[in-house]
Amino acid sequence: MRKAILLNHITMKTRVLAIIISILAIILCGGSINNMSAQSPYDVDNTSGKYVDISKPIIITMKFVESDSDESLCEYCRYDAQGRIIEYGCLVGQFDYETYIRMFKIHYNGKKIDSIQWKEVLFGYASDKKDLIFKKGISFYDQFTSQETGYYHDTDKDVKDLDPNSIASMRTYAESKNDILERQFGRLYDFSTVKWDKEEKDEKLGLPIYSELENDYGDEYESYILAYSYTPDDYTKKIVFHKKRTEFDGDIYENESKYIITEKYLHTNMAPYTWEGK
């Protein structure tokens, strides 16, 4: 009898202990989940990881050959841990030839986009601070607060047809905010949609090494010649030869320039395209 009572007592203590352990595990697990969900997306390092996704440039810069000027910012894109875009910016220009970086900050509600803040920041201010774009723990968008640096716009609270995993979709969205501004102004930096008159590819890499485009409009003329070089799984450099002839008030103006475009890509510990289920 005493033995049975003792066994029942031990069994009861074991059950109570198991319940306590289960409760502690749930609390700890819940805390861990909360900590994960509360983690800032700006703690994610887009510049390091095992894999590189060349379909997702994170920064594109331009530098003129035979010039002492620094690399200037053309475009940037920052991603969270799920591969979603949280900030994006691209080069724009006005008809009075002032140049801006159009910047966006995307807010999410669960898996859906809740709203997008956006503004235009003077090109020089943004380029001077481009080293902060991927600095851990901060928002590049929030680094510009003075009205003197550009123009602020109403938050977009009715976002439609935007794929938060696609930089191409983000570029289209940026173009939809044109007003009197254009996403690509003057010299091109994004050639992703260009249909080349001539193109040569590396046989092993399957990537272009030479491209040529020529548009002739009679008195007006424009051409691009690109030579590519690659650092495997890291970045692409494009040497661009640009010629342009334009007519204005009856006069013909000709211009030639040579500049280097550098594209750096998203580094991640997830294999490319897994975010899209491929």
Side-chain angles (χ1 to χ4, degrees):
M1 182 69 176
R2 289 181 179 179
K3 187 176 181 180
I5 293 173
L6 181 60
L7 287 173
N8 287 336
H9 181 67
I10 293 173
T11 301
M12 183 63 69
K13 289 181 66 176
T14 302
R15 289 176 179 173
V16 171
L17 183 60
I19 292 171
I20 293 173
I21 292 173
S22 298
I23 293 172
L24 288 173
I26 291 171
I27 292 172
L28 290 173
C29 183
S32 176
I33 291 171
N34 289 334
N35 287 336
M36 288 175 63
S37 62
Q39 182 185 23
S40 168
Y42 298 102
D43 289 337
V44 178
D45 187 354
N46 289 175
T47 62
S48 66
K50 181 179 179 181
Y51 301 99
V52 176
D53 189 343
I54 63 172
S55 70
K56 294 186 176 182
I58 58 171
I59 188 168
I60 303 175
T61 59
M62 176 191 297
K63 178 177 173 58
F64 287 96
V65 177
E66 301 175 356
S67 171
D68 294 332
S69 62
D70 295 329
E71 286 185 313
S72 57
L73 180 63
C74 293
E75 184 172 283
Y76 70 93
C77 194
R78 191 164 187 171
Y79 301 84
D80 65 10
Q82 287 77 47
R84 302 180 303 182
I85 297 168
I86 54 173
E87 287 195 10
Y88 172 79
C90 58
L91 187 65
V92 295
Q94 280 189 318
F95 293 128
D96 60 4
Y97 301 104
E98 288 183 301
T99 307
Y100 296 83
I101 297 292
R102 177 172 290 158
M103 303 172 67
F104 299 90
K105 186 176 183 180
I106 303 177
H107 300 273
Y108 291 91
N109 183 3
K111 294 183 178 181
K112 295 183 178 181
I113 296 174
D114 178 73
S115 61
I116 300 181
Q117 294 175 269
W118 70 290
K119 58 189 173 186
E120 275 121 11
V121 173
L122 282 166
F123 162 80
Y125 285 96
S127 288
D128 287 345
K129 292 188 176 184
K130 67 180 182 298
D131 290 342
L132 298 177
I133 288 175
F134 303 105
K135 187 173 181 181
K136 200 170 182 179
I138 73 166
S139 161
F140 187 62
Y141 184 96
D142 291 343
Q143 301 308 301
F144 307 93
T145 57
S146 171
Q147 290 285 352
E148 296 176 358
T149 63
Y151 298 95
Y152 290 74
H153 298 274
D154 293 336
T155 298
D156 186 351
K157 297 181 179 179
D158 186 24
V159 183
K160 297 178 180 178
D161 301 324
L162 176 60
D163 179 357
N165 294 294
S166 168
I167 194 169
S169 183
M170 196 71 233
R171 286 169 175 166
T172 300
Y173 177 79
E175 287 174 346
S176 74
K177 302 296 183 184
N178 252 338
D179 297 325
I180 60 171
L181 297 174
E182 299 173 350
R183 184 174 71 84
Q184 291 186 141
F185 171 75
R187 300 167 184 86
L188 296 180
Y189 70 86
D190 167 30
F191 298 90
S192 60
T193 60
V194 170
K195 294 182 179 180
W196 299 102
D197 297 325
K198 182 179 179 181
E199 188 174 51
E200 297 177 10
K201 292 187 176 182
D202 180 276
E203 292 183 1
K204 293 182 179 179
L205 296 175
L207 297 172
I209 55 176
Y210 177 87
S211 300
E212 196 173 303
L213 174 68
E214 184 173 316
N215 293 316
D216 196 334
Y217 310 104
D219 290 337
E220 297 188 328
Y221 165 90
E222 187 170 29
S223 71
Y224 286 93
I225 296 176
L226 272 65
Y228 304 75
S229 62
Y230 302 91
T231 297
D233 298 333
D234 194 2
Y235 64 85
T236 299
K237 285 188 180 291
K238 304 174 183 178
I239 301 177
V240 183
F241 302 87
H242 178 227
K243 293 183 179 181
K244 189 171 186 177
R245 183 176 66 238
T246 57
E247 184 272 335
F248 183 73
D249 284 345
D251 295 322
I252 299 296
Y253 297 88
E254 294 187 2
N255 178 267
E256 293 185 13
S257 59
K258 182 180 178 182
Y259 56 97
I260 299 174
I261 299 295
T262 302
E263 294 186 4
K264 297 183 179 180
Y265 307 104
L266 177 65
H267 290 238
T268 172
N269 287 320
M270 299 178 69
Y273 310 117
T274 55
W275 293 316
E276 299 176 7
K278 296 181 180 180

